[in-house]
Amino acid sequence: MDIKISNIKERILYFAKNQNISYESFCESIGMTYGSFKGVAKQRPLNSDALEILITKYPEINCEWLLIGKGVMLQKEEKTIENVISLETSLRKELDLKNQVISHYKEKVTFLEDKIKAMGTDLESDEPALLQMIKEIHHITVSNAINDIIKVNEGE
C-alpha cells in the first residue's frame, strides 16, 4: 500500500509511529530532536547526517519512499525472501557438517566394538566387564561428538 505523505519529516515520523517508537526516542536515535519535526521547523530541510544515520540504523525503510514519497514504506519482500534463502543455505551447510561429525563418531564406535568383540573369544568370562567397557566407550564417543558440534557452532 502506497502512503502519500508530502514532507520527508512527516514520513520519518510516520515510520517511527509504524515501528512503535516514540517520536522523541526516534529523533534522538538519528541525532536530532523532536523539535526539528514540529511547527515551522518541519518545513526546513533534513540534515544529511540524520538521513545517513536513519538509513543505516533502519535498513528496512524504502529510501525512495523516504526521500520522495514514492512506493511503499518498507523494503520489498524480495529482500526478506533472499534473507530466508540465505539462512536456509547456511543451515543446510551447518547440518551437513554436523552429520559428518556424527557419522565419523559412529564409525569410531563400530570400529571399537568390533575390536572388542574380536578379543571376546579369549575373554568370555569377562563378558559383563567388556559390555560395560563398550557402553563407556560409546558414552565417551557420543560426548566427544556433542562437544565437537558445539565447537562448530561457536566457530560460526
Side-chain angles (χ1 to χ4, degrees):
M1 173 175 90
D2 287 359
I3 300 155
K4 305 288 186 213
I5 302 172
S6 60
N7 181 301
I8 189 170
K9 289 185 176 179
E10 289 175 355
R11 285 190 292 277
I12 290 171
L13 292 177
Y14 183 85
F15 176 77
K17 183 177 181 179
N18 181 268
Q19 299 299 304
N20 294 319
I21 304 171
S22 74
Y23 293 151
E24 292 82 4
S25 296
F26 187 84
C27 293
E28 187 178 308
S29 78
I30 61 170
M32 298 188 72
T33 64
Y34 179 49
S36 301
F37 289 80
K38 298 190 292 188
V40 199
K42 186 189 287 189
Q43 302 309 317
R44 292 193 194 114
L46 183 65
N47 170 337
S48 62
D49 291 336
L51 193 55
E52 180 182 355
I53 293 168
L54 172 68
I55 291 169
T56 303
K57 203 166 202 172
Y58 302 96
E60 67 273 19
I61 195 165
N62 179 347
C63 293
E64 186 177 26
W65 176 83
L66 178 64
L67 296 173
I68 60 175
K70 200 174 197 182
V72 294
M73 178 177 60
L74 301 176
Q75 292 286 347
K76 299 209 186 286
E77 286 184 14
E78 288 93 44
K79 295 262 185 198
T80 305
I81 291 169
E82 288 172 12
N83 292 343
V84 168
I85 290 171
S86 174
L87 178 62
E88 179 185 10
T89 302
S90 296
L91 290 173
R92 285 184 191 274
K93 287 178 183 177
E94 181 181 340
L95 180 62
D96 288 344
L97 188 57
K98 289 177 181 178
N99 283 336
Q100 288 173 3
V101 169
I102 289 170
S103 178
H104 170 75
Y105 281 105
K106 282 181 179 179
E107 289 173 12
K108 255 185 175 176
V109 167
T110 302
F111 171 78
L112 292 171
E113 286 175 342
D114 291 345
K115 197 170 186 176
I116 290 171
K117 286 176 187 172
M119 295 168 47
T121 54
D122 298 332
L123 305 171
E124 285 189 14
S125 63
D126 291 334
E127 189 173 322
L130 287 173
L131 289 175
Q132 181 62 31
M133 191 184 317
I134 290 171
K135 287 179 185 176
E136 288 175 15
I137 290 170
H138 180 73
H139 176 73
I140 290 169
T141 306
V142 169
S143 295
N144 287 339
I146 291 170
N147 287 334
D148 285 351
I149 290 170
I150 291 170
K151 287 177 188 174
V152 166
N153 282 341
E154 289 172 352
E156 292 179 345

